[in-house]
Amino acid sequence: ALTKSLDEAFSLWKQLLDHPGIPSVRSPEQTVTSLHLLATLYQLHAKPLQALESFLLLRSLCQRVGDIPGTAGAVSNLTRLLLQLECPSHAQVSLEE
């Protein structure tokens, strides 16, 4: 019940970002910040799989808008989370991409 709002927000972001290209949002920078916050909140609620999916959306958006530092940060968070989930081979693939 505590993450219901987060789940709804994630669902909306996912629908918006499922399409290729840059989404039509008012501020891509704020969208990046919102996705990062969403992933962090999932981590705080001990929902690592949802956090992982949120960081994947974040990485995708950062790549689309050409935000190299944002992409690197998303990859770093993805890798750290995959290592915490004891998935070192997936973490390596994430880094290599």
XYZ file of all heavy atoms in Angstrom:
747
model
N 0.824 -1.202 0.000
C 0.000 0.000 0.000
C 0.865 1.261 0.000
O 0.466 2.270 -0.560
C -0.929 -0.005 1.197
N 2.039 1.187 0.639
C 2.910 2.359 0.713
C 3.473 2.757 -0.641
O 3.792 3.920 -0.861
C 4.060 2.109 1.691
C 3.676 1.956 3.157
C 4.890 1.568 3.980
C 3.042 3.231 3.677
N 3.595 1.810 -1.545
C 4.198 2.126 -2.848
C 3.160 2.244 -3.963
O 3.524 2.320 -5.127
C 5.237 1.072 -3.245
O 4.591 -0.200 -3.358
C 6.378 1.017 -2.258
N 1.883 2.288 -3.606
C 0.839 2.361 -4.635
C 1.031 3.590 -5.528
O 0.955 3.491 -6.753
C -0.543 2.378 -3.992
C -1.657 2.376 -4.998
C -3.020 2.351 -4.340
C -4.085 2.378 -5.418
N -5.419 2.453 -4.870
N 1.285 4.734 -4.933
C 1.495 5.960 -5.713
C 2.736 5.848 -6.590
O 2.742 6.312 -7.733
C 1.623 7.169 -4.796
O 0.424 7.365 -4.087
N 3.788 5.228 -6.039
C 5.006 5.028 -6.830
C 4.724 4.118 -8.021
O 5.195 4.372 -9.128
C 6.118 4.424 -5.968
C 6.692 5.283 -4.862
C 7.723 4.487 -4.073
C 7.312 6.530 -5.445
N 3.954 3.060 -7.776
C 3.624 2.134 -8.852
C 2.813 2.821 -9.955
O 3.040 2.577 -11.144
C 2.851 0.926 -8.307
C 3.671 0.085 -7.348
O 4.924 0.149 -7.407
O 3.052 -0.632 -6.536
N 1.891 3.673 -9.548
C 1.097 4.414 -10.530
C 1.980 5.367 -11.331
O 1.845 5.477 -12.549
C -0.025 5.184 -9.835
C -1.118 4.290 -9.285
C -2.144 5.044 -8.453
O -2.082 6.291 -8.361
O -3.012 4.364 -7.874
N 2.881 6.059 -10.647
C 3.794 6.974 -11.334
C 4.690 6.201 -12.299
O 4.891 6.624 -13.442
C 4.639 7.740 -10.313
N 5.200 5.057 -11.845
C 6.047 4.245 -12.716
C 5.283 3.818 -13.965
O 5.799 3.887 -15.074
C 6.576 3.008 -11.982
C 7.346 2.093 -12.884
C 8.647 2.397 -13.241
C 6.760 0.954 -13.407
C 9.360 1.566 -14.095
C 7.453 0.126 -14.265
C 8.762 0.434 -14.606
N 4.055 3.389 -13.787
C 3.235 2.947 -14.917
C 3.042 4.075 -15.929
O 3.149 3.855 -17.142
C 1.884 2.452 -14.406
O 1.056 2.086 -15.474
N 2.786 5.286 -15.440
C 2.612 6.429 -16.337
C 3.908 6.770 -17.073
O 3.903 7.043 -18.280
C 2.101 7.637 -15.556
C 0.681 7.505 -15.017
C 0.361 8.666 -14.078
C -0.328 7.428 -16.158
N 5.032 6.759 -16.338
C 6.315 7.046 -16.982
C 6.632 5.990 -18.043
O 7.107 6.298 -19.123
C 7.448 7.103 -15.968
C 7.481 8.373 -15.164
C 7.421 8.477 -13.812
C 7.582 9.711 -15.654
N 7.466 9.792 -13.438
C 7.573 10.571 -14.548
C 7.669 10.252 -16.933
C 7.657 11.948 -14.675
C 7.744 11.636 -17.062
C 7.733 12.459 -15.940
N 6.358 4.749 -17.708
C 6.644 3.662 -18.639
C 5.826 3.813 -19.920
O 6.349 3.641 -21.022
C 6.384 2.308 -17.983
C 6.846 1.159 -18.831
C 6.787 -0.142 -18.093
C 7.271 -1.214 -19.063
N 7.423 -2.481 -18.469
N 4.551 4.148 -19.792
C 3.709 4.360 -20.969
C 4.258 5.490 -21.828
O 4.291 5.394 -23.050
C 2.280 4.688 -20.558
C 1.502 3.531 -20.009
C 0.134 3.969 -19.494
O -0.342 5.064 -19.775
N -0.487 3.098 -18.710
N 4.688 6.553 -21.176
C 5.205 7.710 -21.898
C 6.516 7.395 -22.605
O 6.759 7.838 -23.727
C 5.407 8.880 -20.934
C 5.917 10.180 -21.546
C 4.869 10.779 -22.461
C 6.285 11.153 -20.450
N 7.364 6.596 -21.955
C 8.704 6.347 -22.490
C 8.803 5.072 -23.317
O 9.879 4.754 -23.812
C 9.712 6.310 -21.334
C 9.834 7.623 -20.564
C 10.687 7.435 -19.333
C 10.383 8.718 -21.449
N 7.707 4.349 -23.475
C 7.726 3.135 -24.288
C 7.934 3.422 -25.772
O 8.381 2.562 -26.516
C 6.423 2.345 -24.120
C 6.542 1.252 -23.083
O 7.662 0.995 -22.611
O 5.506 0.649 -22.756
N 7.626 4.610 -26.190
C 7.741 4.974 -27.598
C 9.150 5.484 -27.893
O 9.764 6.131 -27.048
C 6.709 6.038 -27.949
C 5.311 5.639 -27.571
N 4.608 4.668 -28.228
C 4.503 6.064 -26.571
C 3.425 4.510 -27.671
N 3.331 5.354 -26.643
N 9.668 5.176 -29.087
C 11.014 5.648 -29.431
C 11.056 7.174 -29.562
O 10.031 7.817 -29.753
C 11.312 4.959 -30.767
C 9.980 4.587 -31.317
C 9.051 4.425 -30.165
N 12.229 7.701 -29.462
C 12.409 9.138 -29.591
C 12.288 9.849 -28.259
O 12.075 9.244 -27.213
N 12.402 11.160 -28.325
C 12.328 11.981 -27.125
C 10.857 12.225 -26.814
O 10.102 12.664 -27.677
C 13.080 13.310 -27.322
C 14.569 13.026 -27.587
C 12.913 14.221 -26.116
C 15.375 14.246 -27.938
N 10.440 11.923 -25.594
C 9.022 12.115 -25.256
C 8.665 13.596 -25.216
O 9.507 14.458 -24.976
C 8.907 11.494 -23.857
C 10.271 11.572 -23.296
C 11.217 11.452 -24.455
N 7.402 13.886 -25.492
C 6.976 15.281 -25.424
C 6.594 15.630 -23.985
O 5.480 15.385 -23.560
C 5.819 15.566 -26.359
O 5.180 14.438 -26.824
N 7.583 16.108 -23.286
C 7.395 16.572 -21.907
C 7.845 18.020 -21.845
O 8.611 18.481 -22.693
C 8.199 15.714 -20.897
C 7.646 14.314 -20.819
C 9.660 15.678 -21.239
N 7.352 18.720 -20.863
C 7.736 20.130 -20.736
C 9.221 20.302 -20.495
O 9.861 21.173 -21.068
C 6.976 20.791 -19.602
C 5.839 21.623 -20.064
C 5.275 22.444 -18.961
N 4.496 21.550 -18.101
C 3.969 21.907 -16.980
N 4.126 23.115 -16.531
N 3.279 21.057 -16.256
N 9.766 19.455 -19.636
C 11.172 19.606 -19.278
C 11.826 18.227 -19.158
O 11.611 17.525 -18.159
C 11.297 20.364 -17.956
O 12.621 20.316 -17.492
N 12.632 17.835 -20.150
C 13.338 16.560 -20.039
C 14.209 16.484 -18.781
O 14.342 15.422 -18.179
C 14.190 16.500 -21.298
C 13.504 17.393 -22.271
C 12.884 18.481 -21.434
N 14.774 17.616 -18.361
C 15.619 17.632 -17.171
C 14.810 17.275 -15.928
O 15.264 16.509 -15.076
C 16.288 19.002 -16.985
C 17.274 19.363 -18.071
C 16.610 19.941 -19.326
O 15.408 20.297 -19.277
O 17.275 20.022 -20.355
N 13.599 17.821 -15.814
C 12.752 17.493 -14.669
C 12.292 16.044 -14.726
O 12.156 15.389 -13.692
C 11.531 18.408 -14.618
C 11.837 19.769 -14.062
C 10.587 20.620 -13.952
O 9.667 20.507 -14.750
N 10.568 21.493 -12.955
N 12.069 15.550 -15.942
C 11.668 14.155 -16.105
C 12.788 13.233 -15.646
O 12.540 12.233 -14.964
C 11.279 13.870 -17.566
O 10.241 14.773 -17.959
C 10.806 12.444 -17.753
N 14.017 13.560 -15.998
C 15.175 12.782 -15.555
C 15.230 12.778 -14.027
O 15.410 11.733 -13.400
C 16.483 13.345 -16.171
C 17.703 12.808 -15.459
C 16.541 13.031 -17.661
N 15.062 13.946 -13.426
C 15.083 14.052 -11.962
C 13.957 13.233 -11.332
O 14.169 12.542 -10.332
C 14.979 15.531 -11.533
O 16.077 16.247 -12.107
C 14.996 15.680 -10.028
N 12.777 13.293 -11.927
C 11.630 12.538 -11.395
C 11.873 11.041 -11.447
O 11.547 10.314 -10.504
C 10.365 12.887 -12.180
O 10.005 14.221 -11.982
N 12.438 10.569 -12.554
C 12.720 9.136 -12.666
C 13.788 8.695 -11.675
O 13.701 7.610 -11.103
C 13.142 8.780 -14.093
C 12.012 8.706 -15.103
C 12.571 8.590 -16.518
C 11.092 7.541 -14.802
N 14.786 9.525 -11.482
C 15.833 9.199 -10.510
C 15.243 9.135 -9.106
O 15.550 8.223 -8.328
C 16.969 10.220 -10.575
C 18.164 9.799 -9.798
N 18.344 10.150 -8.483
C 19.221 9.019 -10.131
C 19.469 9.624 -8.046
N 20.016 8.931 -9.015
N 14.389 10.081 -8.791
C 13.728 10.093 -7.481
C 12.846 8.857 -7.314
O 12.838 8.228 -6.254
C 12.906 11.369 -7.330
C 12.164 11.568 -6.022
C 13.134 11.592 -4.843
C 11.376 12.862 -6.066
N 12.118 8.494 -8.362
C 11.269 7.304 -8.323
C 12.093 6.056 -8.015
O 11.745 5.270 -7.137
C 10.541 7.143 -9.658
C 9.602 5.960 -9.798
C 8.366 6.138 -8.925
C 9.199 5.794 -11.254
N 13.200 5.891 -8.716
C 14.063 4.724 -8.492
C 14.627 4.718 -7.079
O 14.659 3.672 -6.417
C 15.198 4.723 -9.517
N 15.036 5.872 -6.596
C 15.587 5.972 -5.246
C 14.530 5.647 -4.193
O 14.814 4.952 -3.209
C 16.168 7.378 -5.013
O 17.165 7.630 -6.015
C 16.780 7.506 -3.639
N 13.314 6.120 -4.400
C 12.242 5.811 -3.455
C 11.926 4.317 -3.438
O 11.662 3.750 -2.379
C 10.989 6.621 -3.784
C 11.077 8.110 -3.444
C 9.872 8.868 -4.018
C 11.181 8.325 -1.955
N 11.970 3.693 -4.612
C 11.778 2.241 -4.645
C 12.878 1.534 -3.849
O 12.616 0.573 -3.136
C 11.761 1.711 -6.074
C 10.403 1.704 -6.729
C 10.227 2.240 -7.998
C 9.297 1.131 -6.110
C 8.989 2.207 -8.616
C 8.061 1.096 -6.716
C 7.909 1.637 -7.967
O 6.682 1.600 -8.582
N 14.099 2.015 -3.966
C 15.185 1.413 -3.189
C 14.936 1.571 -1.691
O 15.152 0.631 -0.926
C 16.526 2.057 -3.560
C 17.062 1.607 -4.890
C 18.408 2.233 -5.172
O 18.539 3.449 -5.201
N 19.405 1.393 -5.389
N 14.486 2.739 -1.285
C 14.215 2.983 0.126
C 13.077 2.111 0.659
O 13.045 1.782 1.840
C 13.890 4.460 0.366
C 15.058 5.425 0.198
C 14.564 6.868 0.286
C 16.123 5.163 1.242
N 12.161 1.738 -0.231
C 11.047 0.863 0.155
C 11.392 -0.616 -0.043
O 10.506 -1.463 0.031
C 9.787 1.211 -0.642
C 9.082 2.432 -0.149
N 8.318 2.436 0.987
C 9.035 3.694 -0.639
C 7.826 3.651 1.178
N 8.249 4.434 0.205
N 12.666 -0.912 -0.275
C 13.132 -2.286 -0.470
C 12.394 -2.988 -1.604
O 11.945 -4.119 -1.476
C 13.023 -3.080 0.826
N 12.288 -2.282 -2.725
C 11.680 -2.819 -3.947
C 12.739 -2.771 -5.060
O 12.689 -1.935 -5.950
C 10.455 -1.986 -4.360
C 9.350 -1.926 -3.344
C 8.508 -3.145 -3.462
C 7.274 -3.016 -2.579
N 6.353 -4.082 -2.816
N 13.746 -3.666 -4.992
C 14.869 -3.564 -5.928
C 14.492 -3.790 -7.392
O 15.084 -3.178 -8.275
C 15.844 -4.625 -5.432
C 15.004 -5.588 -4.669
C 13.890 -4.780 -4.072
N 13.537 -4.660 -7.660
C 13.178 -4.899 -9.063
C 12.506 -3.679 -9.681
O 12.784 -3.320 -10.836
C 12.288 -6.133 -9.194
C 12.950 -7.440 -8.773
C 11.983 -8.607 -8.919
C 14.223 -7.687 -9.562
N 11.656 -3.013 -8.910
C 11.028 -1.792 -9.407
C 12.070 -0.682 -9.565
O 12.018 0.098 -10.510
C 9.896 -1.353 -8.476
C 8.695 -2.256 -8.500
C 8.791 -3.424 -7.519
O 9.867 -3.789 -7.037
N 7.654 -4.020 -7.215
N 13.015 -0.624 -8.642
C 14.097 0.355 -8.751
C 14.914 0.079 -10.006
O 15.272 1.007 -10.743
C 14.988 0.311 -7.516
N 15.187 -1.187 -10.261
C 15.939 -1.573 -11.449
C 15.219 -1.129 -12.713
O 15.821 -0.521 -13.607
C 16.139 -3.094 -11.449
C 17.038 -3.679 -12.507
C 18.473 -3.245 -12.293
C 16.949 -5.191 -12.475
N 13.918 -1.384 -12.781
C 13.141 -0.966 -13.955
C 13.133 0.549 -14.104
O 13.216 1.071 -15.215
C 11.702 -1.469 -13.849
C 11.548 -2.950 -14.071
C 10.094 -3.373 -14.011
O 9.487 -3.211 -12.937
O 9.584 -3.849 -15.039
N 13.069 1.256 -12.988
C 13.078 2.718 -13.033
C 14.419 3.238 -13.540
O 14.472 4.176 -14.337
C 12.776 3.284 -11.646
O 11.497 2.883 -11.221
N 15.518 2.625 -13.075
C 16.832 3.044 -13.567
C 17.003 2.716 -15.052
O 17.677 3.452 -15.774
C 17.951 2.403 -12.745
C 18.201 3.084 -11.426
C 18.193 2.354 -10.244
C 18.446 4.451 -11.352
C 18.422 2.969 -9.019
C 18.674 5.078 -10.134
C 18.661 4.336 -8.971
N 16.389 1.639 -15.513
C 16.434 1.318 -16.946
C 15.698 2.384 -17.763
O 16.172 2.804 -18.823
C 15.841 -0.064 -17.218
C 16.692 -1.244 -16.779
C 15.889 -2.548 -16.843
C 17.943 -1.356 -17.651
N 14.539 2.820 -17.266
C 13.821 3.908 -17.940
C 14.652 5.185 -17.931
O 14.722 5.900 -18.933
C 12.482 4.174 -17.249
C 11.330 3.237 -17.535
C 10.105 3.645 -16.719
C 10.983 3.214 -19.010
N 15.276 5.449 -16.805
C 16.116 6.639 -16.676
C 17.272 6.593 -17.665
O 17.545 7.577 -18.361
C 16.639 6.754 -15.243
C 17.600 7.896 -14.952
C 16.948 9.239 -15.230
C 18.084 7.819 -13.517
N 17.942 5.458 -17.748
C 19.058 5.322 -18.697
C 18.578 5.548 -20.128
O 19.212 6.281 -20.902
C 19.690 3.944 -18.576
C 20.869 3.748 -19.537
C 21.393 2.350 -19.523
N 20.394 1.455 -20.110
C 20.541 0.150 -20.218
N 21.618 -0.436 -19.750
N 19.603 -0.585 -20.766
N 17.445 4.973 -20.471
C 16.891 5.126 -21.813
C 16.593 6.590 -22.125
O 16.942 7.093 -23.198
C 15.619 4.284 -21.941
O 14.971 4.539 -23.162
N 15.962 7.275 -21.194
C 15.641 8.687 -21.418
C 16.910 9.522 -21.548
O 17.026 10.360 -22.444
C 14.765 9.227 -20.287
C 14.424 10.710 -20.387
C 13.646 11.020 -21.659
C 13.661 11.165 -19.155
N 17.871 9.300 -20.665
C 19.126 10.059 -20.721
C 19.839 9.841 -22.049
O 20.381 10.786 -22.639
C 20.029 9.681 -19.552
S 19.460 10.317 -17.967
N 19.832 8.618 -22.543
C 20.458 8.335 -23.840
C 19.733 9.080 -24.960
O 20.365 9.625 -25.857
C 20.461 6.835 -24.117
C 21.439 6.067 -23.271
C 21.310 4.566 -23.421
O 20.254 4.033 -23.772
N 22.397 3.856 -23.140
N 18.415 9.125 -24.896
C 17.624 9.781 -25.942
C 17.871 11.278 -26.004
O 17.900 11.860 -27.083
C 16.128 9.554 -25.712
C 15.705 8.133 -25.914
C 14.209 8.039 -25.718
N 13.828 6.719 -25.256
C 12.590 6.358 -25.042
N 11.610 7.217 -25.218
N 12.324 5.151 -24.633
N 17.990 11.905 -24.829
C 18.170 13.363 -24.815
C 19.645 13.760 -24.880
O 19.964 14.938 -24.882
C 17.480 14.024 -23.595
C 15.988 13.782 -23.622
C 18.086 13.592 -22.284
N 20.541 12.780 -24.920
C 21.965 13.072 -25.027
C 22.595 13.525 -23.726
O 23.612 14.230 -23.741
N 22.025 13.128 -22.614
C 22.546 13.487 -21.295
C 23.593 12.448 -20.885
O 23.280 11.442 -20.258
C 21.388 13.535 -20.297
C 21.820 13.907 -18.883
O 23.041 14.104 -18.645
O 20.941 13.989 -18.007
N 24.842 12.706 -21.243
C 25.917 11.747 -20.980
C 26.158 11.551 -19.481
O 26.236 10.415 -19.022
C 27.207 12.155 -21.727
C 26.953 12.053 -23.231
C 28.384 11.277 -21.323
C 28.021 12.648 -24.099
N 26.237 12.628 -18.682
C 26.406 12.406 -17.232
C 25.210 11.657 -16.626
O 25.383 10.810 -15.752
C 26.527 13.821 -16.654
C 26.962 14.674 -17.792
C 26.349 14.052 -19.015
N 24.012 11.963 -17.084
C 22.826 11.272 -16.582
C 22.838 9.799 -16.943
O 22.474 8.939 -16.125
N 23.264 9.503 -18.173
C 23.370 8.111 -18.613
C 24.385 7.373 -17.758
O 24.129 6.250 -17.299
C 23.768 8.030 -20.103
O 22.788 8.725 -20.890
C 23.863 6.601 -20.573
N 25.536 8.004 -17.533
C 26.575 7.371 -16.708
C 26.075 7.134 -15.283
O 26.330 6.079 -14.696
C 27.829 8.243 -16.692
N 25.348 8.081 -14.736
C 24.807 7.919 -13.393
C 23.786 6.788 -13.322
O 23.787 5.995 -12.377
N 22.937 6.702 -14.343
C 21.937 5.629 -14.383
C 22.619 4.273 -14.500
O 22.239 3.312 -13.817
C 20.969 5.849 -15.540
N 23.646 4.181 -15.345
C 24.384 2.925 -15.510
C 25.077 2.552 -14.203
O 25.076 1.388 -13.791
C 25.394 3.019 -16.671
C 26.348 1.844 -16.668
C 24.661 3.099 -17.998
N 25.634 3.540 -13.526
C 26.292 3.288 -12.243
C 25.299 2.737 -11.221
O 25.586 1.757 -10.527
C 26.918 4.588 -11.730
O 27.409 4.425 -10.437
N 24.134 3.370 -11.137
C 23.112 2.892 -10.203
C 22.599 1.510 -10.592
O 22.374 0.665 -9.722
C 21.947 3.881 -10.139
C 22.286 5.099 -9.321
O 22.736 4.982 -8.192
N 22.089 6.273 -9.888
N 22.417 1.271 -11.884
C 21.996 -0.053 -12.356
C 23.013 -1.114 -11.959
O 22.653 -2.178 -11.453
C 21.867 -0.055 -13.886
C 20.555 0.396 -14.473
C 20.693 0.567 -15.986
C 19.453 -0.580 -14.157
N 24.260 -0.822 -12.204
C 25.324 -1.775 -11.906
C 25.384 -2.080 -10.416
O 25.467 -3.243 -10.006
C 26.678 -1.219 -12.391
O 26.581 -0.943 -13.799
C 27.795 -2.200 -12.144
N 25.322 -1.038 -9.600
C 25.354 -1.231 -8.147
C 24.179 -2.086 -7.685
O 24.338 -3.020 -6.893
C 25.341 0.117 -7.436
C 25.445 0.006 -5.931
C 25.652 1.353 -5.241
N 25.159 2.490 -5.983
C 23.995 3.110 -5.736
N 23.212 2.702 -4.769
N 23.626 4.157 -6.454
N 22.997 -1.804 -8.225
C 21.811 -2.557 -7.837
C 21.899 -4.013 -8.299
O 21.545 -4.930 -7.563
C 20.569 -1.881 -8.425
C 19.216 -2.322 -7.919
C 19.143 -2.278 -6.399
C 18.131 -1.445 -8.526
N 22.405 -4.228 -9.497
C 22.573 -5.601 -9.983
C 23.580 -6.376 -9.133
O 23.389 -7.568 -8.875
C 22.997 -5.596 -11.458
C 21.893 -5.233 -12.444
C 22.486 -4.914 -13.806
C 20.870 -6.358 -12.539
N 24.624 -5.708 -8.695
C 25.592 -6.368 -7.810
C 24.970 -6.691 -6.463
O 25.226 -7.756 -5.893
C 26.841 -5.506 -7.646
C 27.731 -5.404 -8.887
C 28.827 -4.367 -8.670
C 28.316 -6.751 -9.247
N 24.130 -5.796 -5.954
C 23.434 -6.069 -4.689
C 22.477 -7.250 -4.838
O 22.255 -7.991 -3.885
C 22.652 -4.840 -4.237
C 23.515 -3.724 -3.729
C 22.728 -2.458 -3.445
O 21.550 -2.335 -3.768
N 23.404 -1.481 -2.856
N 21.925 -7.420 -6.035
C 21.018 -8.539 -6.301
C 21.775 -9.807 -6.682
O 21.169 -10.800 -7.060
C 20.030 -8.169 -7.415
C 19.038 -7.079 -7.087
C 18.267 -6.660 -8.331
C 18.094 -7.535 -5.991
N 23.101 -9.727 -6.577
C 23.992 -10.852 -6.878
C 23.849 -11.333 -8.327
O 23.730 -12.526 -8.601
C 23.768 -11.995 -5.881
C 24.085 -11.584 -4.467
C 23.897 -12.687 -3.441
O 23.687 -13.856 -3.832
O 23.974 -12.381 -2.241
N 23.892 -10.364 -9.229
C 23.835 -10.638 -10.669
C 25.054 -10.012 -11.345
O 24.925 -9.076 -12.139
C 22.556 -10.061 -11.275
S 21.045 -10.693 -10.574
N 26.274 -10.492 -11.034
C 27.473 -9.849 -11.554
C 27.573 -9.884 -13.074
O 28.088 -8.940 -13.683
C 28.618 -10.610 -10.896
C 28.035 -11.908 -10.488
C 26.586 -11.653 -10.201
N 27.106 -10.941 -13.718
C 27.207 -10.997 -15.178
C 26.307 -9.952 -15.821
O 26.692 -9.315 -16.813
C 26.862 -12.400 -15.685
O 25.530 -12.750 -15.335
N 25.130 -9.718 -15.260
C 24.256 -8.666 -15.775
C 24.861 -7.281 -15.520
O 24.729 -6.389 -16.349
C 22.869 -8.767 -15.147
C 22.065 -9.924 -15.647
N 22.134 -11.164 -15.072
C 21.196 -10.015 -16.667
C 21.337 -11.976 -15.713
N 20.751 -11.317 -16.698
N 25.491 -7.130 -14.381
C 26.140 -5.863 -14.060
C 27.255 -5.571 -15.070
O 27.403 -4.447 -15.525
C 26.705 -5.896 -12.648
N 28.006 -6.592 -15.430
C 29.089 -6.410 -16.398
C 28.529 -6.019 -17.763
O 29.062 -5.137 -18.427
C 29.939 -7.671 -16.518
C 31.137 -7.482 -17.430
C 32.096 -8.642 -17.376
O 31.984 -9.514 -16.538
N 33.038 -8.641 -18.287
N 27.445 -6.660 -18.173
C 26.816 -6.327 -19.459
C 26.346 -4.879 -19.449
O 26.535 -4.161 -20.427
C 25.630 -7.285 -19.757
C 24.802 -6.790 -20.919
C 26.137 -8.697 -20.016
N 25.767 -4.455 -18.332
C 25.309 -3.076 -18.206
C 26.466 -2.096 -18.361
O 26.344 -1.098 -19.058
C 24.643 -2.880 -16.852
O 24.240 -1.558 -16.677
N 27.591 -2.407 -17.748
C 28.766 -1.544 -17.855
C 29.335 -1.519 -19.273
O 29.764 -0.488 -19.773
C 29.851 -1.980 -16.878
C 29.657 -1.577 -15.431
C 30.728 -2.212 -14.563
C 29.669 -0.082 -15.289
N 29.330 -2.672 -19.922
C 29.897 -2.762 -21.267
C 29.056 -2.015 -22.301
O 29.593 -1.518 -23.283
C 30.078 -4.215 -21.666
C 31.195 -4.895 -20.893
C 31.282 -6.396 -21.141
O 30.426 -6.953 -21.872
O 32.207 -7.015 -20.586
N 27.758 -1.947 -22.068
C 26.893 -1.216 -22.996
C 27.205 0.263 -22.934
O 27.153 0.985 -23.851
C 25.418 -1.430 -22.651
C 24.931 -2.812 -22.985
C 23.480 -3.019 -22.583
O 22.886 -2.139 -21.947
O 22.936 -4.085 -22.896
